[in-house]
Amino acid sequence: MLELNKIYKLDKSLVVSLMLLCIISCLFVHSSSTVFEQYTSSFIIKQFFYYLIGFLIMYGVATLDIEQLKKIGWPFYWAMVVLTFGLFIAPESIARTVNEAKRWYQVPVLGSFQPSEFLKFALLIVVSKVIVAHREKYVRPTFLTDMRLLFIIAVITLPPTLAVYKQPDTGMAMIYMSMIIPMIFFSGIQRKLLIIFTAIPVSILSVVVILYVKFNEFFTDKILNKLSGHQISRIYGWLQPYEHLDSSYQTRQGFLAIGSGGFNGKGYMNNNVYVVEKHTDFIFANIAEELGFIGGAFVIALLFFVIYRIVLITVEARDPFMTLMGAGISSLLAFQITQNIGMTIGLLPVTGMTLPFLSYGGSSLISNFMLMGIVMIIYNSYSGYLFKTTKE
Protein backbone atom coordinates (compact mmCIF):
# COMPACT_ATOMS: atom_id res chain seq x y z
CA MET A 1 0.00 0.00 0.00
CA LEU A 2 1.36 3.43 -0.97
CA GLU A 3 2.39 5.72 1.87
CA LEU A 4 0.86 9.17 1.39
CA ASN A 5 3.58 10.85 3.44
CA LYS A 6 6.16 9.85 0.81
CA ILE A 7 5.08 12.81 -1.27
CA TYR A 8 7.12 14.96 1.11
CA LYS A 9 10.25 12.98 0.23
CA LEU A 10 10.30 13.97 -3.42
CA ASP A 11 13.16 16.29 -4.30
CA LYS A 12 11.49 19.69 -4.33
CA SER A 13 13.94 21.26 -6.78
CA LEU A 14 13.30 18.51 -9.33
CA VAL A 15 9.53 18.65 -8.88
CA VAL A 16 9.44 22.44 -9.37
CA SER A 17 11.71 22.16 -12.42
CA LEU A 18 9.49 19.49 -13.95
CA MET A 19 6.40 21.62 -13.31
CA LEU A 20 8.03 24.56 -15.10
CA LEU A 21 8.91 22.27 -18.01
CA CYS A 22 5.29 21.09 -18.04
CA ILE A 23 4.03 24.66 -18.43
CA ILE A 24 6.58 25.48 -21.14
CA SER A 25 5.89 22.24 -22.99
CA CYS A 26 2.11 22.64 -23.03
CA LEU A 27 2.30 26.28 -24.11
CA PHE A 28 4.65 25.63 -27.01
CA VAL A 29 3.10 22.36 -28.11
CA HIS A 30 -0.10 24.39 -28.45
CA SER A 31 1.65 27.26 -30.24
CA SER A 32 3.57 25.07 -32.68
CA SER A 33 0.54 22.96 -33.62
CA THR A 34 -2.06 25.72 -34.13
CA VAL A 35 -0.37 28.66 -35.90
CA PHE A 36 -0.01 26.71 -39.15
CA GLU A 37 -2.99 24.72 -40.43
CA GLN A 38 -1.07 21.46 -40.37
CA TYR A 39 -3.29 19.77 -37.77
CA THR A 40 -7.01 19.84 -37.10
CA SER A 41 -6.55 20.56 -33.37
CA SER A 42 -4.01 21.52 -30.75
CA PHE A 43 -2.16 18.81 -28.82
CA ILE A 44 -2.15 20.73 -25.53
CA ILE A 45 -4.86 18.64 -23.83
CA LYS A 46 -3.13 15.37 -24.67
CA GLN A 47 0.25 16.71 -23.59
CA PHE A 48 -1.15 17.88 -20.24
CA PHE A 49 -2.80 14.47 -19.84
CA TYR A 50 0.54 12.75 -20.51
CA TYR A 51 2.21 15.03 -17.97
CA LEU A 52 -0.43 14.17 -15.37
CA ILE A 53 0.13 10.46 -15.96
CA GLY A 54 3.89 11.07 -15.85
CA PHE A 55 3.79 12.75 -12.44
CA LEU A 56 1.60 9.97 -11.04
CA ILE A 57 3.93 7.28 -12.41
CA MET A 58 6.98 9.10 -11.06
CA TYR A 59 5.36 9.14 -7.64
CA GLY A 60 4.41 5.46 -7.97
CA VAL A 61 7.96 4.44 -8.86
CA ALA A 62 9.34 6.66 -6.06
CA THR A 63 7.33 4.71 -3.46
CA LEU A 64 9.16 1.49 -4.35
CA ASP A 65 12.19 0.50 -2.34
CA ILE A 66 15.39 -0.52 -4.06
CA GLU A 67 14.74 -4.28 -3.72
CA GLN A 68 11.30 -3.97 -5.31
CA LEU A 69 12.87 -2.03 -8.18
CA LYS A 70 15.40 -4.81 -8.72
CA LYS A 71 12.64 -7.43 -8.81
CA ILE A 72 10.71 -5.76 -11.61
CA GLY A 73 13.84 -5.30 -13.77
CA TRP A 74 13.99 -8.61 -15.63
CA PRO A 75 10.22 -9.15 -16.12
CA PHE A 76 9.90 -5.60 -17.47
CA TYR A 77 12.95 -6.11 -19.70
CA TRP A 78 11.57 -9.28 -21.30
CA ALA A 79 8.15 -7.71 -21.78
CA MET A 80 9.65 -4.73 -23.63
CA VAL A 81 11.95 -6.97 -25.70
CA VAL A 82 9.01 -9.12 -26.81
CA LEU A 83 6.97 -6.02 -27.69
CA THR A 84 9.92 -4.49 -29.56
CA PHE A 85 10.49 -7.58 -31.70
CA GLY A 86 6.73 -8.01 -32.04
CA LEU A 87 6.54 -4.83 -34.10
CA PHE A 88 8.18 -6.67 -37.02
CA ILE A 89 5.28 -9.11 -37.32
CA ALA A 90 2.38 -7.04 -35.96
CA PRO A 91 -0.35 -6.20 -38.52
CA GLU A 92 -0.92 -2.60 -39.57
CA SER A 93 -4.18 -2.52 -37.61
CA ILE A 94 -2.16 -2.91 -34.39
CA ALA A 95 1.16 -1.26 -35.30
CA ARG A 96 0.88 1.37 -38.02
CA THR A 97 3.83 2.35 -40.21
CA VAL A 98 4.40 6.12 -40.00
CA ASN A 99 6.97 7.87 -42.23
CA GLU A 100 8.44 4.47 -43.20
CA ALA A 101 9.01 3.60 -39.52
CA LYS A 102 7.18 0.97 -37.49
CA ARG A 103 7.76 1.86 -33.83
CA TRP A 104 4.34 2.21 -32.22
CA TYR A 105 1.43 0.06 -31.11
CA GLN A 106 -2.00 1.67 -31.32
CA VAL A 107 -3.58 1.82 -27.85
CA PRO A 108 -7.17 2.97 -27.20
CA VAL A 109 -7.47 6.28 -25.28
CA LEU A 110 -3.68 6.73 -24.88
CA GLY A 111 -3.11 6.78 -28.66
CA SER A 112 0.24 5.12 -29.37
CA PHE A 113 2.71 3.11 -27.31
CA GLN A 114 6.40 2.97 -28.21
CA PRO A 115 8.08 0.01 -26.42
CA SER A 116 11.59 1.19 -27.27
CA GLU A 117 11.07 4.24 -25.03
CA PHE A 118 10.29 2.03 -22.03
CA LEU A 119 13.10 -0.38 -22.86
CA LYS A 120 15.62 2.21 -21.61
CA PHE A 121 14.03 1.96 -18.13
CA ALA A 122 14.41 -1.83 -18.22
CA LEU A 123 17.98 -1.74 -19.56
CA LEU A 124 18.99 0.70 -16.84
CA ILE A 125 17.85 -1.66 -14.08
CA VAL A 126 19.07 -4.99 -15.49
CA VAL A 127 22.50 -3.73 -16.59
CA SER A 128 23.01 -2.15 -13.15
CA LYS A 129 22.01 -5.45 -11.52
CA VAL A 130 24.40 -7.43 -13.72
CA ILE A 131 27.32 -5.11 -12.96
CA VAL A 132 26.71 -5.16 -9.20
CA ALA A 133 26.26 -8.96 -9.15
CA HIS A 134 29.50 -9.35 -11.10
CA ARG A 135 31.40 -7.16 -8.65
CA GLU A 136 30.03 -9.12 -5.69
CA LYS A 137 30.99 -12.43 -7.27
CA TYR A 138 34.49 -11.38 -8.36
CA VAL A 139 35.96 -9.42 -5.47
CA ARG A 140 39.33 -9.50 -7.23
CA PRO A 141 38.39 -9.27 -10.91
CA THR A 142 40.76 -10.23 -13.68
CA PHE A 143 40.96 -9.24 -17.33
CA LEU A 144 39.00 -12.36 -18.30
CA THR A 145 36.25 -11.85 -15.71
CA ASP A 146 35.81 -8.24 -16.81
CA MET A 147 35.66 -9.39 -20.43
CA ARG A 148 32.91 -11.77 -19.33
CA LEU A 149 31.01 -8.82 -17.83
CA LEU A 150 31.25 -6.87 -21.09
CA PHE A 151 30.06 -9.92 -23.02
CA ILE A 152 26.99 -10.29 -20.75
CA ILE A 153 26.15 -6.58 -21.12
CA ALA A 154 26.47 -6.92 -24.90
CA VAL A 155 24.13 -9.95 -24.94
CA ILE A 156 21.56 -7.96 -22.94
CA THR A 157 21.75 -4.71 -24.88
CA LEU A 158 22.73 -5.43 -28.48
CA PRO A 159 19.79 -7.60 -29.72
CA PRO A 160 17.04 -5.12 -28.71
CA THR A 161 19.22 -2.18 -29.78
CA LEU A 162 19.69 -3.68 -33.25
CA ALA A 163 15.95 -4.37 -33.43
CA VAL A 164 15.21 -0.73 -32.60
CA TYR A 165 17.81 0.40 -35.15
CA LYS A 166 16.03 -1.68 -37.80
CA GLN A 167 12.60 -0.11 -37.10
CA PRO A 168 14.33 2.26 -38.08
CA ASP A 169 15.10 4.41 -35.03
CA THR A 170 18.77 5.38 -35.02
CA GLY A 171 18.18 8.04 -32.38
CA MET A 172 16.83 5.60 -29.80
CA ALA A 173 19.72 3.18 -30.43
CA MET A 174 22.10 6.09 -29.74
CA ILE A 175 20.22 6.90 -26.53
CA TYR A 176 20.72 3.33 -25.26
CA MET A 177 24.45 3.57 -25.93
CA SER A 178 24.67 6.99 -24.25
CA MET A 179 23.23 5.37 -21.12
CA ILE A 180 25.10 2.04 -21.13
CA ILE A 181 28.62 3.31 -21.94
CA PRO A 182 28.94 5.59 -18.85
CA MET A 183 27.63 2.73 -16.70
CA ILE A 184 30.45 0.54 -18.04
CA PHE A 185 32.98 3.24 -17.14
CA PHE A 186 31.57 3.35 -13.60
CA SER A 187 31.50 -0.47 -13.34
CA GLY A 188 35.07 -0.68 -12.07
CA ILE A 189 36.45 -2.79 -14.91
CA GLN A 190 40.22 -2.81 -15.38
CA ARG A 191 41.89 0.24 -16.87
CA LYS A 192 43.41 -1.64 -19.80
CA LEU A 193 39.93 -2.80 -20.82
CA LEU A 194 38.61 0.75 -20.54
CA ILE A 195 41.42 1.96 -22.78
CA ILE A 196 40.57 -0.69 -25.39
CA PHE A 197 36.86 -0.01 -24.98
CA THR A 198 37.47 3.72 -25.59
CA ALA A 199 40.09 3.35 -28.32
CA ILE A 200 37.95 1.20 -30.66
CA PRO A 201 35.05 3.68 -31.25
CA VAL A 202 37.43 6.68 -31.24
CA SER A 203 39.61 4.98 -33.88
CA ILE A 204 36.61 4.08 -36.03
CA LEU A 205 35.26 7.63 -35.83
CA SER A 206 38.67 9.09 -36.67
CA VAL A 207 39.02 6.83 -39.72
CA VAL A 208 35.52 7.79 -40.93
CA VAL A 209 36.32 11.51 -40.60
CA ILE A 210 39.64 11.12 -42.43
CA LEU A 211 37.99 9.15 -45.22
CA TYR A 212 35.27 11.80 -45.60
CA VAL A 213 37.76 14.68 -45.72
CA LYS A 214 40.63 13.11 -47.69
CA PHE A 215 39.01 10.28 -49.66
CA ASN A 216 35.46 11.46 -50.19
CA GLU A 217 34.75 9.25 -53.20
CA PHE A 218 35.85 6.10 -51.36
CA PHE A 219 33.84 7.21 -48.29
CA THR A 220 30.71 7.66 -50.42
CA ASP A 221 31.02 4.38 -52.34
CA LYS A 222 32.23 2.02 -49.61
CA ILE A 223 30.69 3.42 -46.41
CA LEU A 224 27.86 5.87 -47.00
CA ASN A 225 26.14 3.76 -49.66
CA LYS A 226 25.92 0.84 -47.22
CA LEU A 227 23.37 2.79 -45.18
CA SER A 228 19.66 3.03 -45.90
CA GLY A 229 18.39 5.73 -48.25
CA HIS A 230 16.74 7.54 -45.33
CA GLN A 231 20.02 7.64 -43.36
CA ILE A 232 22.05 8.75 -46.40
CA SER A 233 19.58 11.56 -47.00
CA ARG A 234 19.90 12.81 -43.43
CA ILE A 235 23.70 12.68 -43.45
CA TYR A 236 23.91 14.65 -46.70
CA GLY A 237 21.31 17.08 -45.37
CA TRP A 238 23.55 17.68 -42.38
CA LEU A 239 26.95 17.83 -44.08
CA GLN A 240 25.86 19.72 -47.22
CA PRO A 241 22.54 21.44 -46.38
CA TYR A 242 22.58 23.92 -49.26
CA GLU A 243 23.54 21.34 -51.87
CA HIS A 244 20.84 18.82 -50.86
CA LEU A 245 17.85 21.08 -50.36
CA ASP A 246 15.18 18.37 -50.03
CA SER A 247 16.95 16.30 -47.39
CA SER A 248 18.04 19.37 -45.41
CA TYR A 249 14.68 21.16 -45.50
CA GLN A 250 13.78 20.50 -41.85
CA THR A 251 17.26 21.44 -40.65
CA ARG A 252 17.35 24.67 -42.65
CA GLN A 253 13.88 25.65 -41.47
CA GLY A 254 14.88 24.86 -37.89
CA PHE A 255 17.83 27.17 -37.71
CA LEU A 256 15.94 29.79 -39.76
CA ALA A 257 13.24 29.79 -37.07
CA ILE A 258 15.82 30.02 -34.28
CA GLY A 259 17.80 32.75 -36.02
CA SER A 260 14.71 34.81 -36.83
CA GLY A 261 13.81 34.89 -33.13
CA GLY A 262 16.78 37.15 -32.42
CA PHE A 263 17.52 38.14 -28.84
CA ASN A 264 14.00 38.82 -27.52
CA GLY A 265 11.89 36.64 -29.82
CA LYS A 266 8.73 37.40 -31.79
CA GLY A 267 6.31 36.85 -28.94
CA TYR A 268 4.10 33.94 -27.97
CA MET A 269 1.98 32.52 -30.85
CA ASN A 270 3.84 34.74 -33.34
CA ASN A 271 5.98 32.06 -34.97
CA ASN A 272 5.86 32.32 -38.77
CA VAL A 273 8.58 29.90 -39.94
CA TYR A 274 7.11 26.56 -40.95
CA VAL A 275 9.01 23.51 -39.64
CA VAL A 276 7.76 19.96 -40.18
CA GLU A 277 6.71 18.29 -36.89
CA LYS A 278 7.54 21.46 -34.99
CA HIS A 279 5.71 20.29 -31.86
CA THR A 280 7.82 17.11 -31.52
CA ASP A 281 11.50 16.88 -32.41
CA PHE A 282 11.87 20.57 -33.34
CA ILE A 283 10.01 22.18 -30.46
CA PHE A 284 13.16 24.05 -29.39
CA ALA A 285 13.07 25.89 -32.72
CA ASN A 286 9.59 27.15 -31.86
CA ILE A 287 10.63 28.19 -28.34
CA ALA A 288 13.67 30.10 -29.61
CA GLU A 289 11.64 31.73 -32.39
CA GLU A 290 8.98 33.07 -30.02
CA LEU A 291 11.14 33.76 -26.94
CA GLY A 292 14.47 34.47 -28.66
CA PHE A 293 17.91 33.87 -27.23
CA ILE A 294 16.72 34.74 -23.71
CA GLY A 295 13.96 32.13 -23.71
CA GLY A 296 16.08 29.47 -25.40
CA ALA A 297 18.90 29.99 -22.90
CA PHE A 298 16.45 29.76 -19.99
CA VAL A 299 15.05 26.45 -21.28
CA ILE A 300 18.55 25.00 -21.77
CA ALA A 301 19.56 26.15 -18.27
CA LEU A 302 16.41 24.57 -16.80
CA LEU A 303 17.04 21.26 -18.54
CA PHE A 304 20.63 21.11 -17.39
CA PHE A 305 19.59 22.10 -13.87
CA VAL A 306 17.54 18.89 -13.84
CA ILE A 307 20.69 16.96 -14.79
CA TYR A 308 22.70 18.87 -12.16
CA ARG A 309 20.23 17.84 -9.45
CA ILE A 310 20.36 14.21 -10.61
CA VAL A 311 24.16 14.26 -10.38
CA LEU A 312 24.08 15.78 -6.88
CA ILE A 313 21.54 13.21 -5.69
CA THR A 314 23.58 10.37 -7.24
CA VAL A 315 26.80 11.57 -5.59
CA GLU A 316 25.12 11.16 -2.19
CA ALA A 317 24.30 7.51 -2.90
CA ARG A 318 26.50 4.95 -1.17
CA ASP A 319 25.02 1.97 -3.00
CA PRO A 320 26.77 1.04 -6.29
CA PHE A 321 23.45 -0.03 -7.85
CA MET A 322 22.05 3.47 -7.31
CA THR A 323 25.24 5.13 -8.49
CA LEU A 324 25.15 3.20 -11.76
CA MET A 325 21.52 4.07 -12.39
CA GLY A 326 22.07 7.75 -11.59
CA ALA A 327 25.07 7.86 -13.95
CA GLY A 328 23.02 6.25 -16.71
CA ILE A 329 20.06 8.61 -16.31
CA SER A 330 22.11 11.83 -16.18
CA SER A 331 24.20 10.76 -19.17
CA LEU A 332 21.15 9.75 -21.20
CA LEU A 333 19.41 13.08 -20.62
CA ALA A 334 22.55 15.12 -21.29
CA PHE A 335 23.12 13.32 -24.58
CA GLN A 336 19.50 13.59 -25.68
CA ILE A 337 19.29 17.32 -24.91
CA THR A 338 22.58 18.03 -26.68
CA GLN A 339 21.65 15.96 -29.73
CA ASN A 340 18.16 17.43 -30.07
CA ILE A 341 19.19 21.07 -29.75
CA GLY A 342 22.29 20.43 -31.86
CA MET A 343 20.20 19.07 -34.74
CA THR A 344 17.78 22.00 -34.64
CA ILE A 345 20.65 24.44 -35.29
CA GLY A 346 22.41 22.27 -37.85
CA LEU A 347 25.40 21.28 -35.73
CA LEU A 348 24.38 17.60 -35.57
CA PRO A 349 22.45 15.32 -37.95
CA VAL A 350 18.69 14.95 -37.58
CA THR A 351 17.94 11.70 -35.74
CA GLY A 352 14.28 12.01 -34.79
CA MET A 353 15.22 12.40 -31.13
CA THR A 354 12.78 14.21 -28.83
CA LEU A 355 13.72 17.00 -26.42
CA PRO A 356 13.17 15.52 -22.93
CA PHE A 357 10.10 16.87 -21.05
CA LEU A 358 9.31 19.38 -23.82
CA SER A 359 8.53 17.54 -27.07
CA TYR A 360 5.02 16.24 -27.62
CA GLY A 361 4.68 12.49 -27.11
CA GLY A 362 3.25 10.23 -24.45
CA SER A 363 5.75 7.35 -24.53
CA SER A 364 8.79 9.63 -24.41
CA LEU A 365 7.38 11.79 -21.62
CA ILE A 366 6.10 8.95 -19.43
CA SER A 367 9.28 6.88 -19.81
CA ASN A 368 11.37 9.89 -18.72
CA PHE A 369 9.14 10.33 -15.68
CA MET A 370 9.80 6.67 -14.84
CA LEU A 371 13.51 7.51 -14.83
CA MET A 372 12.76 10.48 -12.56
CA GLY A 373 11.00 8.04 -10.24
CA ILE A 374 14.27 6.10 -9.95
CA VAL A 375 16.06 9.36 -9.10
CA MET A 376 13.52 9.91 -6.32
CA ILE A 377 14.21 6.39 -5.00
CA ILE A 378 17.91 7.28 -4.84
CA TYR A 379 17.02 10.55 -3.11
CA ASN A 380 14.97 8.68 -0.51
CA SER A 381 17.42 5.85 0.03
CA TYR A 382 20.93 7.25 0.41
CA SER A 383 22.68 7.17 3.76
CA GLY A 384 21.90 10.16 5.90
CA TYR A 385 18.58 11.04 4.30
CA LEU A 386 16.68 11.10 7.59
CA PHE A 387 19.07 13.65 9.02
CA LYS A 388 18.64 15.85 5.97
CA THR A 389 14.85 15.84 6.24
CA THR A 390 14.94 17.25 9.75
CA LYS A 391 16.72 20.35 8.43
CA GLU A 392 14.30 21.11 5.62
Side-chain angles (χ1 to χ4, degrees):
M1 187 174 180
L2 299 180
E3 298 177 27
L4 294 178
N5 65 347
K6 282 207 172 188
I7 194 169
Y8 300 110
K9 295 183 182 180
L10 299 180
D11 182 78
K12 296 179 180 63
S13 299
L14 271 181
V15 171
V16 171
S17 298
L18 292 172
M19 286 180 174
L20 286 173
L21 289 169
C22 170
I23 295 170
I24 295 169
S25 176
C26 289
L27 286 174
F28 287 94
V29 163
H30 173 71
S31 172
S32 59
S33 60
T34 55
V35 170
F36 293 95
E37 295 181 0
Q38 183 181 3
Y39 305 100
T40 56
S41 62
S42 168
F43 294 97
I44 186 173
I45 301 299
K46 281 188 176 181
Q47 185 73 346
F48 182 77
F49 177 65
Y50 293 144
Y51 249 105
L52 182 61
I53 294 176
F55 274 111
L56 291 174
I57 288 179
M58 179 182 71
Y59 173 67
V61 174
T63 58
L64 301 174
D65 61 41
I66 207 69
E67 293 304 319
Q68 290 173 321
L69 186 67
K70 290 179 180 179
K71 287 179 182 178
I72 67 173
W74 281 110
F76 196 79
Y77 168 82
W78 286 115
M80 292 305 107
V81 168
V82 169
L83 288 173
T84 298
F85 279 94
L87 285 167
F88 292 106
I89 59 174
E92 285 290 316
S93 59
I94 298 175
R96 240 174 354 109
T97 301
V98 180
N99 296 329
E100 300 181 7
K102 197 171 184 180
R103 307 172 190 167
W104 305 270
Y105 289 99
Q106 302 307 308
V107 180
V109 181
L110 292 178
S112 58
F113 171 78
Q114 186 176 351
S116 59
E117 282 284 358
F118 297 91
L119 185 58
K120 63 191 180 188
F121 176 83
L123 284 172
L124 182 75
I125 299 172
V126 298
V127 172
S128 298
K129 282 185 65 175
V130 165
I131 292 173
V132 171
H134 180 85
R135 283 289 158 251
E136 290 175 351
K137 182 176 181 180
Y138 300 101
V139 180
R140 295 182 178 178
T142 64
F143 184 86
L144 289 177
T145 59
D146 282 348
M147 280 292 293
R148 182 176 183 273
L149 172 62
L150 292 180
F151 175 76
I152 294 172
I153 293 174
V155 169
I156 294 169
T157 59
L158 288 183
T161 300
L162 291 173
V164 169
Y165 177 78
K166 286 290 186 180
Q167 288 179 351
D169 193 351
T170 307
M172 187 58 64
M174 293 168 65
I175 287 174
Y176 295 159
M177 294 300 102
S178 73
M179 177 179 70
I180 299 299
I181 290 173
M183 294 170 69
I184 291 173
F185 273 84
F186 279 94
S187 67
I189 64 175
Q190 295 193 355
R191 187 173 299 178
K192 62 179 77 173
L193 256 182
L194 280 180
I195 293 172
I196 296 171
F197 186 73
T198 306
I200 292 174
V202 170
S203 300
I204 294 172
L205 182 61
S206 300
V207 169
V208 169
V209 171
I210 292 170
L211 289 175
Y212 172 73
V213 175
K214 297 291 186 181
F215 308 97
N216 192 266
E217 188 175 336
F218 178 85
F219 171 82
T220 303
D221 293 339
K222 302 300 182 181
I223 297 178
L224 201 58
N225 287 338
K226 300 297 183 183
L227 302 176
S228 67
H230 180 67
Q231 291 169 329
I232 293 172
S233 174
R234 286 190 167 182
I235 290 173
Y236 273 130
W238 168 51
L239 295 174
Q240 301 167 353
Y242 292 99
E243 294 178 25
H244 298 82
L245 298 180
D246 288 341
S247 56
S248 67
Y249 176 75
Q250 193 176 26
T251 299
R252 287 184 291 107
Q253 292 299 106
F255 56 67
L256 176 61
I258 293 171
S260 67
F263 190 76
N264 297 318
K266 300 174 182 176
Y268 182 63
M269 296 289 289
N270 288 327
N271 70 89
N272 56 15
V273 178
Y274 176 74
V275 183
V276 181
E277 303 295 339
K278 205 173 187 179
H279 63 302
T280 55
D281 304 344
F282 275 71
I283 195 167
F284 183 77
N286 190 63
I287 293 170
E289 183 181 0
E290 295 188 359
L291 300 184
F293 174 81
I294 295 174
F298 173 78
V299 167
I300 292 173
L302 184 58
L303 287 168
F304 277 96
F305 176 77
V306 170
I307 296 172
Y308 169 74
R309 283 300 305 162
I310 295 171
V311 171
L312 288 186
I313 291 169
T314 302
V315 166
E316 295 285 350
R318 297 293 178 265
D319 183 277
F321 179 70
M322 298 182 201
T323 301
L324 288 166
M325 290 193 298
I329 294 169
S330 56
S331 176
L332 177 152
L333 291 176
F335 172 78
Q336 195 169 347
I337 292 166
T338 303
Q339 169 62 34
N340 179 275
I341 295 176
M343 76 183 188
T344 62
I345 58 178
L347 291 179
L348 295 170
V350 175
T351 57
M353 198 177 292
T354 58
L355 185 57
F357 303 110
L358 288 170
S359 294
Y360 172 78
S363 294
S364 173
L365 190 58
I366 292 171
S367 65
N368 284 333
F369 267 105
M370 291 171 71
L371 298 180
M372 290 300 101
I374 292 178
V375 174
M376 297 303 179
I377 292 176
I378 299 172
Y379 177 74
N380 283 322
S381 302
Y382 63 69
S383 177
Y385 173 79
L386 293 176
F387 297 99
K388 288 179 179 288
T389 55
T390 59
K391 295 179 183 180
E392 293 181 356

